[in-house]
Every structure is written in C-alpha cells, then in structure tokens.
Amino acid sequence: MKPRPHRHRELAQRLRRDARLRPGEVEEYLGANPEVWTALAEASPHDAADILESVSPDTAGALLSPLNRGQRAPILEELRDELAAEFLEELPLGEAASVLEEMAATEAVDILENMETETVEAVIDLMAEPAGSEVSRLFHYPSDTAGGLMTTEVAVLPIGLSAGEAIERIRNIREMVDDLTYVYVTDDFGVLRGVLSFRDLVFVRPSVGLDEAMEASPVAVHTLADREEVSELMQRYRLMGLPVVDDLGHLQGMVTYDEVIDAVQAEASEDFATSVGAGAEETIYTAVLSSVRMRLPWLTLNLLLAMVVAFVVERQTGIISAEPVLAALMPVVALLGGNGGVQSLAVVIRSMAAGDLPRARIWEVLRRQVSIGLLNGAFLAVAAMGLTVALLSLGVFSSNYGAAQVAPVVGVAALANLTIATLAGAGIPMVLRRMGFDPALASSIFLTLITDVVGFGGFLMVAAALL
Amino acid sequence: MKPRPHRHRELAQRLRRDARLRPGEVEEYLGANPEVWTALAEASPHDAADILESVSPDTAGALLSPLNRGQRAPILEELRDELAAEFLEELPLGEAASVLEEMAATEAVDILENMETETVEAVIDLMAEPAGSEVSRLFHYPSDTAGGLMTTEVAVLPIGLSAGEAIERIRNIREMVDDLTYVYVTDDFGVLRGVLSFRDLVFVRPSVGLDEAMEASPVAVHTLADREEVSELMQRYRLMGLPVVDDLGHLQGMVTYDEVIDAVQAEASEDFATSVGAGAEETIYTAVLSSVRMRLPWLTLNLLLAMVVAFVVERQTGIISAEPVLAALMPVVALLGGNGGVQSLAVVIRSMAAGDLPRARIWEVLRRQVSIGLLNGAFLAVAAMGLTVALLSLGVFSSNYGAAQVAPVVGVAALANLTIATLAGAGIPMVLRRMGFDPALASSIFLTLITDVVGFGGFLMVAAALL
C-alpha cells in the first residue's frame, strides 16, 4: 500500500474519465498510440483496469494482449474478477498460469473462483511453486470467509527475538509483505501468540524482547469465520488488519482493511436486492439463467400472495358494480400504502445492517414509525380527498354516489393503509430477525401483501360501510 | 489504531452480547456491580459504548454519570453521534466542554453536529485551547466533505530533514499522531510537497533527504471535496489515508481508512432509502418531524402519479362491469410487474453504486434484463393462468365469460408487464443518471407508475381485446 507514482497519473485519469463517457474515442486513441497505453499500463494499473472495464470486451482483449505477464498481472488484479476470469479463459492454459503466478495469491484465487471448474484445476496444476500450492490451499476456503479474504503475505516473527532483531528481519522480508501495519508473533509451533504495530516496534528499545513488547492474545478469527464477523470485529476495534488462525491457533494469514471495505459495501447494498427477492450476490454481470434462478422462487411466492389479494377483492366485487369508480381509486390507496411502507422498511433495514437496532429500542422505533405513518397519512388523506372531489366535480371521473360520498372512503382508507403500512414496514424486518432470518429477506414482498390486502380489500370494506 | 488490550475483553464481549438480547438483566447486573462497569469502561470503551446503545436511555445516563471525563471521552467517541449528543446536552455546559476537550477533534465535531446550535456555540467557547479553536475550525466544514471527515493529528515534517532526523521527530510526536501509516512532507509555507510511507522511511538510509525519499505530488483532495470522491480515490489507489489540502495546497489533515468504511457503508445503503423516497441520511433515530419532511414530498408525488393510474383505469371500467372478476385479478398482474421490476432496479442501482456500469455496456445490460424478464414472465404467465383456471373451476372465483376466456388475459398481461417492468427497472436509473440525478432517486416510485399503468390499464385493455 505505497503511495502511487504520479507520472502519467493525469493522463491516465483523463483517459479513464473519457473511457466512461466516450469509450469509442478512447478505443481509437489507444489503438493509434500503443506506446501511451503500454506506459499507462505500467505506471497506473488501477487506471488501466478502469479503462478496460469501460471499453467493449473486444477492445479490452486487444489492449491486454500486447502486454507481457508482468504488466498484465497487476491490471488483472485490479479488474473486476468476472472480467479478469473471462480474459484468462481465452488464453492458453500455460500462459494463464504464468500470469496468475505474478499475482498476490488472494487475488489469483478471487479470479479463479469465476472460471470453469475444469480450467481452474488445469491452470493451478501448471502454476510454478510456491505460487501453485499457495493458491490451491487458499482456493479451498469459501470466498466469504476469513480464509477466503485473507492475504498470506504477512510479517510473522518468532517470539524469541528482540525488537532490534525483529526490525532487521523485517528489512529483509519487507518486499514480500503486503501490509506492514501489524507484526504478528508466533511460537515454535506457529501458534499466534501476540501482535504489535510496526510503529510501536520501531520506537521500542532495540533490546526489548518481542514477548515483552507485544500485545498478548490478540483479537483473531478462525479461517471459517464469516465475512460479516470479520468486518464487525475490525470496525469495532478499528483494526487495519485481523489475524486469521486455524483450529489449533496457528496463524494462517491476515484480513486487510481493503477487504473489509469491499465486504461492508457488498453487505450494505445486498439488503436492497434481498428485500425484493433478487440475488444477494447478483450483479449486472450475473449470467441470465442464474439471475432467473435467483429471482423466480420469490416471484412465484409473490404470485401466490397476490392470489390472496385477488381472493380478498373478489369477495367484494359487488360494491364495485354499484360504484365503478372505486375500481379506479383502489390502486391509489394501495400505491400510497406500498410506498409509505417500503420507506420505513428501508430505514429500519439500514439501521439493522449498521447494528443500530437493539431490542431495548424496538418499541420506541415502532412508535416513531407509527407517528410518521399517521402524520403522512393525515396529510395524504386530505390531499387524496381533495383530488377525488376535484376530479369528480370536473367530470374527469364519474360517480353514482357523488363526490361527498366517495371522497371520505378514499381518505379513511388512505390514512389507515399508510399507518398500517408504515408500521408493517418497520415490523416485518424485526419479525424476520426474531425468526432467525435475514431481516431483509423478501421483506418487501411480504410488505406488499399487507399493503395490497388493506389497500384493495380494506378500501372496498370501507366503501361498503360508508356508501 | 493499536491492537486492543485483551484484559476484560471476554467479559466485555459477553456483556455486550447479553445487552442486545436481555438488556434488563445486564442493567441489573451492572447496577449491582459498579466496579465491573468502571473497569470495563476503562479497558474497552468500544464494548462499553455498545452496551450503552443496547440499554434504555435512562440506564445509559446512569451508567455514564459516575465516570470521570477521561473515562467518558473515549466511550462517547465510540457511541453513535446522536446518542453522545443527547448525553452531552444533559450535562452542565462546562462539563460537556471538558469531556469534548479529551476527544479527537473530528469526533468532537461529529457529536456537536447533532446538538442544538446555541448549545454548540456556548460549549465551544468554554473549551480550553488548543482544542477549542481546533474544533471550531473543523466545525465549519460540512460533514460529508473531506474537511469534515479528516483528522488533523497527522505526521507532518519539513522537507529539509534527512530520514534519520525525520524518525527522531516522529519519535517525539508519535503520541499525538492518530495514524502513522503515512508521513507527509511540506515546504516552509505548509504546502504539501510529498508523502512517504512510514515503512519506507524506516528502511531508507538515515542520511537520505526526505525530498529524495518521498513520492512527490501525491494524490490529495480539497477540503471541500465530497465524501464520494474521497472514498473513490482511496479505493482506487488502495490508500489507507488521503491528504486534504486547501485552495493553495496547504496540508490541512488526512482522511483515514475508517472514515472511508463509514462513508462506503452509508452510501451503499442510502440507495435503498433514496429509491423509495425516504431520506438518504434518515435512520431510526431521526426525529419524527424530520422523517415526515423527508418522505412526504415523495409520497405526494406518488399520490399524483397514482391518480394517473386511476385515470387510466377509470377509462376502462366498462369491461370490469361486464366481468367483475377482472377487478380481483388486476392487482395480481400489477404486483408481479412491480416486484419483477424492482428486482432489476435493485441489481442495476447496486452495480452503478459500485461503479460497475460503464456506458459501453448499457445495451448489453438492458438486453440481459429483458431476457430475464421474458423468462420469468413466461413461467409466471403459465403459473398465473393455471391458478386462474383452478380458482375459477373450483368456484372460488366466479366469471361471466369462463376460465378459457379469462385465463389468457391474465397470462398475456403478466408476461407483458413482467418484461416491461424488468426493462423499466433497469432503464429508470440509467435515465436518471443521464439526466444528472442520483440514479436511485425516487426510482422505485417512477417504476410503480409504469408497472401499475401496464398492470391495471394494460390488463384491462388486453381484457377488452380478448373478451
């Protein structure tokens, strides 16, 4: 994590921006000026990767092919894993293996996870040692566990050293260490015994032993700990790196802060997708059939719940025959409730994801959301009644019973639906959590059942009572 | 960012967990064992803060009051800002000022931003120097800009030093530096001239000058750069800290990686809230009237759009009078479209937020989403027709035209609505971005307009054509 060189940075950044806005022009420019591209690829692999992601897949392939493996590896590390995998799959196996050898093992594994299983095995077999066995070992950890996230390029020192000796050792291995914020101390068996920050190590007296300078029994996670636990611990203790150990406490690696950023981002944005029954891991690059497989079960549930709504409405079609304008007004009440409810759903799910909703405050939160629903409901009920009266008086809508009769039906139902919906939006994720599910899971689908039953069925009941 | 001490950690973690599940018991236990609480507060302010957030506000107040300001400050730094502000507002002004003096200036400012304006001014006036003027200076930067996020406790050295001299300087100031990953180098005027990692500084020959060892013209942002730019730069270049400069290039501070984690989390989860017209910054702790103010304008828009849906349906009530079961079935088609559409909306907005949707791939993405919509639509159309036939044959629903006539109406409309909805869900955020808006902005509200117009109006049109 060194500061980046600034040569080429300005040109690189301009090209990167242009590639997003006018990919065609940039493709042409780089095609005509291959030396600019090579220099940029060398100096600023991050920007080069961004450019490759912006241009068409064919151009991306054409830009990558003239580079040698030492130039390709850092760019592929920065590229979105799916795209890097696509590119490697088009290379001969041996060439793919030699590019992967140049990468940090964790990055190589992330890319391999997006390739066909048979290709993966063949490629790993062709990789030179020690990269091959390192990648093969890491490949077996699921990608959302500490083992799948960790880097193995860590500063590890035996407990017997003095601080001065430790610094000398680090001087020799420092090029192989990914992140030197922390230095881990292990015993003869490789068991993690302590940690100290590199900063403290530098400023301690050189004669002090590591066992004395270190913090004993540091916070650590098991290789199979899940991503959420890892990011929670690092955020709580504001750590820049978290050591990963096996069953017996042997140090296996370290999760660095940038993996946590990715984890936090993925988790914060997956709630939105989960709440509507899209795939938690689904992106715009997910294969069409995988997307269909992830979404269809929830849409099918949605269909079944929708039939419940249909059933409720079907019982009350009599009042619609008597006053057909009700058929036009019932979607209004349902829509308002649906949107009001999903607003509180979104706010509550966010707060839960950030760990901000302890049980002691559940009633307070529900009370607040009901107040919000009542206040919004009151305003919207009045506005909806006003609009109904206006549309009926202007003759845009026609009514058998007259505006004075129909408008209150809309008002009462809108107020009721908004209040119930806002409460349900807050309550559904709480109930899901209580039942041991992800609070976001299909919550929006369950919510629309309630808002539509009340919005359609409740509305017609109010109509039957008032007309 | 030192590794945390492990004493009390286990007890602290157990209490923290228990406080979430059984706050009452923990309140009682800590009330009866004040010495445990004091020891825990001292040793593990993070866990203490978590416990305070889990128990009732009254208990939290009671637990904080016996602590001295040196014990309170680190806990309040870790506490959610709104709660820390609430607590400080109940203290006498002078006492609040003295607690804030003990905190890092950035943290103090974050808390002050949640307090009443008059209280803030009075409290800052009472703070001792230099803390008071530091806080007052930082308070003027908006909280979502680089200036609002930065820490001022940075390692800064004059460009004339040698590496050896630099390390000696740092030895003396290291307790005042928040994060020593990077050392910044400035000229006589305080203008940022370079950066080097502390790690490189340690291993370079002591006689080398900083001007030679440093990376010149490092990546930096202006004090008023927004949070999104800051986190994008830090992620792209994998920096653990980003220097912040004023108009003339004077170094003002540094944004550390943990602020970026918070920023990334806030931004990733705000899309969900924004898409339904809840407040981007809204949490369960937002004041009720503020929540109402944030949500009501979008609900009002929603009401107006709903009236468009009503208008479309009102034109076609004739067919409902002829076949009342259509009134019951139309919500089914609308619901399926609404949910199918919001699935692709969520996936596309997520990918946009992660910077994964370049213009060159827009058509590809739209094509994929249409394919998903068609496949899901075909399956659901068949399922919906089957259910309609079953419910009509079983006599649960009754029909004037018969199942063979009504079921195809449901099937055709469901297929059409799902396909159009899935396309619209992907297209709306793209259009919003193109128009210069946040792609998430009220996108779900616009989407339901489309899915309901097609789901209700389109359904009735299909019915009129086929029956």
Side-chain angles (χ1 to χ4, degrees):
Chain A
M1 324 264 157
K2 302 179 169 193
R4 312 296 314 178
H6 75 292
R7 279 188 322 139
H8 298 279
R9 194 189 307 129
E10 272 176 39
L11 174 64
Q13 289 196 3
R14 213 181 58 232
L15 284 170
R16 195 181 60 83
R17 257 195 304 274
D18 288 353
R20 306 218 124 218
L21 302 174
R22 297 178 294 274
E25 284 178 31
V26 172
E27 288 179 21
E28 214 171 288
Y29 173 79
L30 291 177
N33 299 277
E35 74 294 348
V36 172
W37 167 247
T38 320
L40 186 159
E42 186 94 36
S44 192
H46 304 77
D47 293 315
D50 275 357
I51 291 172
L52 292 178
E53 287 180 5
S54 299
V55 298
S56 70
D58 290 348
T59 311
L63 286 171
L64 271 170
S65 23
L67 303 179
N68 64 38
R69 63 179 191 156
Q71 291 164 328
R72 281 172 185 174
I75 297 178
L76 293 181
E77 282 186 346
E78 298 299 328
L79 210 59
R80 188 196 332 291
D81 299 328
E82 297 97 315
L83 297 182
E86 250 172 50
F87 174 74
L88 286 180
E89 277 181 337
E90 304 208 338
L91 293 183
L93 290 180
E95 210 178 319
S98 75
V99 174
L100 287 166
E101 281 163 23
E102 298 285 319
M103 295 187 195
T106 0
E107 303 286 347
V109 169
D110 288 345
I111 295 171
L112 286 166
E113 272 160 0
N114 286 279
M115 293 168 66
E116 307 279 332
T117 322
E118 301 122 59
T119 324
V120 170
E121 282 165 19
V123 168
I124 293 181
D125 279 349
L126 289 169
M127 286 177 72
E129 293 307 326
S133 43
E134 183 65 10
V135 164
S136 158
R137 191 172 70 84
L138 288 181
F139 190 72
H140 290 98
Y141 295 115
S143 62
D144 57 351
T145 62
L149 296 171
M150 72 186 179
T151 172
T152 51
E153 296 165 339
V154 181
V156 190
L157 297 173
I159 199 164
L161 299 184
S162 71
E165 290 164 338
I167 293 201
E168 279 318 298
R169 286 271 189 113
I170 293 173
R171 184 188 297 277
N172 298 325
I173 59 166
R174 72 178 194 276
E175 292 304 326
M176 280 137 62
V177 171
D178 183 27
D179 181 334
L180 195 47
T181 311
Y182 300 118
V183 176
Y184 296 108
V185 182
T186 56
D187 64 18
D188 295 347
F189 306 102
V191 171
L192 176 67
R193 296 290 299 279
V195 61
L196 72 174
S197 69
F198 177 63
R199 159 189 185 165
D200 288 346
L201 179 63
V202 168
F203 292 119
V204 88
R205 260 182 307 115
S207 59
V208 169
L210 284 187
D211 55 339
E212 207 177 318
M214 75 188 188
E215 160 74 39
S217 317
V219 181
V221 284
H222 190 267
T223 41
L224 296 178
D226 73 36
R227 185 170 74 175
E228 215 167 331
E229 188 184 340
V230 171
S231 69
E232 204 191 301
L233 278 173
M234 288 180 72
Q235 284 181 275
R236 170 136 32 90
Y237 296 111
R238 301 207 182 185
L239 297 172
M240 299 213 228
L242 188 64
V244 182
V245 295
D246 67 12
D247 290 336
L248 300 172
H250 299 115
L251 182 65
Q252 302 293 307
M254 164 173 80
V255 180
T256 57
Y257 83 101
D258 52 328
E259 295 288 346
V260 174
I261 291 188
D262 293 346
V264 162
Q265 185 164 40
E267 253 149 42
S269 73
E270 85 182 23
D271 284 335
F272 187 6
T274 309
S275 73
V276 296
E281 307 286 328
E282 193 180 343
T283 73
I284 48 175
Y285 296 103
T286 304
V288 168
L289 285 180
S290 307
S291 290
V292 169
R293 258 199 306 277
M294 294 185 213
R295 298 182 191 182
L296 195 49
W298 297 112
L299 287 171
T300 307
L301 172 67
N302 195 27
L303 172 64
L304 297 175
L305 298 180
M307 285 295 173
V308 175
V309 176
F311 179 79
V312 171
V313 176
E314 218 268 345
R315 303 292 92 176
Q316 307 176 68
T317 45
I319 186 79
I320 298 178
S321 305
E323 176 61 298
V325 78
L326 293 178
L329 291 171
M330 63 183 191
V332 173
V333 175
L335 260 172
L336 281 177
N339 199 63
V342 80
Q343 288 180 335
S344 71
L345 184 81
V347 170
V348 168
I349 287 178
R350 272 183 95 171
S351 296
M352 282 184 161
D356 287 354
L357 182 56
R359 275 163 212 258
R361 292 181 186 260
I362 282 180
W363 293 112
E364 182 193 336
V365 170
L366 291 175
R367 222 168 25 236
R368 275 169 188 246
Q369 295 298 324
V370 170
S371 309
I372 297 170
L374 276 168
L375 289 169
N376 278 336
F379 177 88
L380 290 164
V382 172
M385 286 197 292
L387 282 168
T388 307
V389 170
L391 292 168
L392 286 169
S393 317
L394 293 170
V396 182
F397 291 177
S398 58
S399 160
N400 297 334
Y401 287 80
Q405 297 262 45
V406 173
V409 175
V410 176
V412 170
L415 175 61
N417 202 18
L418 256 157
T419 309
I420 294 171
T422 315
L423 176 62
I428 288 171
M430 295 179 187
V431 171
L432 285 167
R433 179 169 79 170
R434 184 99 208 186
M435 291 168 68
F437 294 108
D438 175 350
L441 187 68
S443 51
S444 165
I445 295 174
F446 299 125
L447 177 66
T448 43
L449 171 68
I450 295 176
T451 57
D452 277 14
V453 164
V454 179
F456 294 106
F459 172 72
L460 295 177
M461 275 172 59
V462 173
L466 295 188
L467 294 185
Chain B
M1 324 262 159
K2 300 182 171 190
R4 313 296 314 178
H6 74 292
R7 277 188 323 139
H8 297 281
R9 195 189 309 129
E10 272 175 40
L11 174 63
Q13 291 195 4
R14 214 181 58 232
L15 284 170
R16 195 181 58 83
R17 257 194 305 275
D18 288 353
R20 307 216 123 216
L21 302 174
R22 297 178 293 274
E25 283 177 32
V26 172
E27 288 179 20
E28 213 170 288
Y29 173 79
L30 291 177
N33 298 277
E35 75 293 348
V36 171
W37 167 248
T38 319
L40 187 160
E42 186 94 35
S44 191
H46 305 77
D47 293 316
D50 275 357
I51 292 172
L52 291 178
E53 287 179 6
S54 299
V55 300
S56 69
D58 289 348
T59 312
L63 286 170
L64 271 169
S65 25
L67 303 178
N68 64 40
R69 64 180 190 155
Q71 293 164 325
R72 281 173 185 175
I75 297 178
L76 292 180
E77 283 185 346
E78 298 299 328
L79 210 58
R80 187 195 333 291
D81 298 329
E82 297 97 315
L83 297 182
E86 249 172 51
F87 174 74
L88 285 180
E89 276 181 338
E90 303 207 340
L91 293 183
L93 291 179
E95 209 176 323
S98 75
V99 174
L100 288 165
E101 282 163 23
E102 298 284 319
M103 294 188 196
T106 1
E107 303 286 347
V109 169
D110 288 346
I111 296 171
L112 286 165
E113 272 159 0
N114 286 281
M115 292 168 66
E116 307 278 332
T117 322
E118 301 122 58
T119 323
V120 171
E121 283 166 18
V123 168
I124 293 180
D125 280 348
L126 288 170
M127 286 176 73
E129 293 307 328
S133 42
E134 184 63 10
V135 164
S136 158
R137 190 171 72 84
L138 288 181
F139 191 73
H140 290 98
Y141 295 115
S143 62
D144 56 351
T145 62
L149 295 170
M150 72 188 180
T151 170
T152 51
E153 296 164 339
V154 182
V156 189
L157 296 173
I159 197 163
L161 298 186
S162 71
E165 289 166 339
I167 293 203
E168 279 318 299
R169 286 273 187 112
I170 293 173
R171 184 189 297 278
N172 298 326
I173 60 167
R174 72 178 193 276
E175 291 304 326
M176 280 137 62
V177 172
D178 183 26
D179 181 333
L180 195 48
T181 311
Y182 299 119
V183 176
Y184 296 108
V185 181
T186 55
D187 64 18
D188 294 347
F189 305 102
V191 171
L192 176 66
R193 297 290 300 280
V195 61
L196 72 175
S197 69
F198 178 62
R199 158 190 185 164
D200 289 346
L201 179 63
V202 168
F203 292 119
V204 88
R205 260 182 306 114
S207 59
V208 170
L210 283 188
D211 54 340
E212 206 178 318
M214 75 189 187
E215 160 75 40
S217 316
V219 182
V221 283
H222 189 268
T223 41
L224 295 178
D226 73 36
R227 185 170 72 173
E228 215 166 332
E229 188 185 340
V230 171
S231 69
E232 205 190 300
L233 278 173
M234 288 180 71
Q235 285 182 274
R236 169 135 35 86
Y237 296 110
R238 301 207 183 186
L239 298 171
M240 299 214 230
L242 188 64
V244 181
V245 296
D246 67 11
D247 289 336
L248 300 172
H250 299 116
L251 182 66
Q252 301 294 306
M254 163 173 81
V255 180
T256 57
Y257 82 102
D258 53 326
E259 295 289 346
V260 173
I261 291 187
D262 293 346
V264 163
Q265 184 164 40
E267 253 149 43
S269 73
E270 86 183 20
D271 284 336
F272 187 7
T274 310
S275 73
V276 295
E281 308 285 330
E282 193 180 343
T283 73
I284 49 175
Y285 295 103
T286 305
V288 168
L289 285 180
S290 307
S291 289
V292 169
R293 258 198 306 276
M294 294 186 214
R295 298 182 190 182
L296 197 49
W298 297 112
L299 287 172
T300 306
L301 172 67
N302 195 26
L303 172 63
L304 297 175
L305 297 179
M307 284 295 174
V308 175
V309 176
F311 179 79
V312 171
V313 176
E314 218 269 343
R315 302 293 91 176
Q316 305 176 69
T317 45
I319 187 78
I320 297 179
S321 304
E323 176 62 296
V325 77
L326 294 178
L329 291 171
M330 64 183 192
V332 173
V333 175
L335 258 173
L336 281 177
N339 199 61
V342 79
Q343 287 180 336
S344 71
L345 184 82
V347 170
V348 168
I349 288 179
R350 274 182 91 173
S351 295
M352 282 184 161
D356 287 354
L357 183 55
R359 274 164 213 258
R361 293 182 186 260
I362 283 180
W363 293 112
E364 183 194 335
V365 170
L366 290 175
R367 223 167 26 236
R368 275 170 187 245
Q369 295 299 324
V370 170
S371 309
I372 297 170
L374 275 168
L375 289 169
N376 279 336
F379 177 88
L380 290 164
V382 172
M385 286 197 291
L387 282 169
T388 307
V389 170
L391 292 168
L392 286 169
S393 316
L394 292 170
V396 182
F397 291 179
S398 57
S399 160
N400 297 334
Y401 286 80
Q405 297 262 44
V406 173
V409 174
V410 175
V412 170
L415 175 60
N417 201 18
L418 255 158
T419 309
I420 294 171
T422 313
L423 176 63
I428 288 171
M430 295 180 187
V431 171
L432 285 167
R433 179 169 79 170
R434 183 101 210 184
M435 292 168 68
F437 294 108
D438 175 349
L441 188 68
S443 51
S444 166
I445 295 174
F446 299 125
L447 177 67
T448 42
L449 170 68
I450 294 176
T451 57
D452 277 14
V453 164
V454 178
F456 293 106
F459 173 73
L460 295 176
M461 274 172 60
V462 172
L466 295 188
L467 294 185

